[in-house]
């Protein structure tokens, strides 16, 4: 059974007010791009190509680094998935920008907030995106929010299921995290 969440953070994540006691909120997709300086910037108009749009070679093709950024709530945790999609604004997240590999990020610490919390890491990491990875994380995968390896593992499985439904099955998944993030990875692999 779920422990009660006493504090929802959907507003702080830009998802609006929670829609129920489980802190649910509608899924939101927005667009960004990687600049030639290597940082991320908002993409105000998907039909207009920014002058400082970076490109990268992914799967042997030169790909413009437009980034599809999805946020929502799964397992009461606020999740985020970022991926390179060279066709900004379309409804199909699978594009020439995905190398068919998933990088899942874990945040450190160890605490209990009795809320959705905030992540100590982000899916919006240009270093991984320019290599073609889909990058994911969720607030319950930051041990500082919920120091619970079972809840973290459930959340990973559910977020990964979402990614599979949208993108397809990744060739493999890489976990990345330090401190409490590394602990989660080791416990999940062990169990």
């Amino acid at each position: 059974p779920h422990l009660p969440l006493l504090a929802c953070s959907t507003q702080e994540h830009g998802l609006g007010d929670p829609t129920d006691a489980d802190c649910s909120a509608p899924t939101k997709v927005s667009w960004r791009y990687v600049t030639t300086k290597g940082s991320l910037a908002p993409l105000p108009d998907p039909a207009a190509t920014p002058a400082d749009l970076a490109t990268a070679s992914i799967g042997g093709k030169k790909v413009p680094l437009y980034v599809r950024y999805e946020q929502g709530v799964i397992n009461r945790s606020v999740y985020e998935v970022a991926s390179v999609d060279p066709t900004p604004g379309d409804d199909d997240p699978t594009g020439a920008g995905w190398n068919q590999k998933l990088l899942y990020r874990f945040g450190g610490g160890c605490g209990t907030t009795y809320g959705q919390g905030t992540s100590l890491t982000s899916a919006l990491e240009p270093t991984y995106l320019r290599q073609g990875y889909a990058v994911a994380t969720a607030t319950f995968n930051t041990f500082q929010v919920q120091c619970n390896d079972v809840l973290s593992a459930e959340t990973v499985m559910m977020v990964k299921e979402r990614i599979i439904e949208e993108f397809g099955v990744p060739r493999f998944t890489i976990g990345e995290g330090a401190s409490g993030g590394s602990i989660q990875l080791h416990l999940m692999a062990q169990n």
Side-chain angles (χ1 to χ4, degrees):
H2 288 159
L3 293 173
L5 289 181
L6 303 178
C8 298
S9 58
T10 53
Q11 276 191 337
E12 291 82 356
H13 286 90
L15 298 173
D17 290 330
T19 58
D20 59 27
D22 279 334
C23 300
S24 300
T27 301
K28 174 182 159 187
V29 173
S30 58
W31 292 87
R32 293 170 173 60
Y33 70 98
V34 179
T35 69
T36 52
K37 292 184 178 179
S39 61
L40 282 161
L43 182 66
D45 181 5
T49 303
D52 61 343
L53 173 65
T55 61
S57 178
I58 299 172
K61 297 178 184 171
K62 186 176 177 181
V63 177
L65 294 178
Y66 292 109
V67 177
R68 180 184 185 275
Y69 179 58
E70 179 180 318
Q71 295 173 281
V73 176
I74 290 178
N75 198 29
R76 303 176 312 144
S77 178
V78 177
Y79 77 93
E80 51 186 90
V81 177
S83 62
V84 171
D85 186 340
T87 54
D90 73 0
D91 291 335
D92 183 7
T94 61
W98 186 39
N99 67 11
Q100 311 207 302
K101 301 169 189 169
L102 173 62
L103 193 136
Y104 206 104
R105 303 188 78 197
F106 295 83
C110 187
T112 301
T113 63
Y114 298 102
Q116 283 177 303
T118 57
S119 186
L120 294 178
T121 188
S122 174
L124 292 169
E125 177 50 60
T127 303
Y128 302 132
L129 292 167
R130 64 175 47 245
Q131 295 175 59
Y133 290 101
V135 184
T137 192
T139 55
F140 285 2
N141 299 123
T142 291
F143 255 19
Q144 189 62 41
V145 174
Q146 301 286 346
C147 195
N148 180 329
D149 64 302
V150 174
L151 185 58
S152 178
E154 286 176 345
T155 303
V156 168
M157 288 189 301
M158 294 169 86
V159 171
K160 190 170 177 182
E161 178 183 29
R162 169 86 179 167
I163 291 165
I164 290 169
E165 290 168 351
E166 285 188 309
F167 294 76
V169 178
R171 289 193 346 228
F172 56 81
T173 302
I174 299 170
E176 183 259 353
S179 187
S182 177
I183 291 169
Q184 290 171 79
L185 291 165
H186 281 83
L187 289 171
M188 285 181 206
Q190 168 189 293
N191 294 333

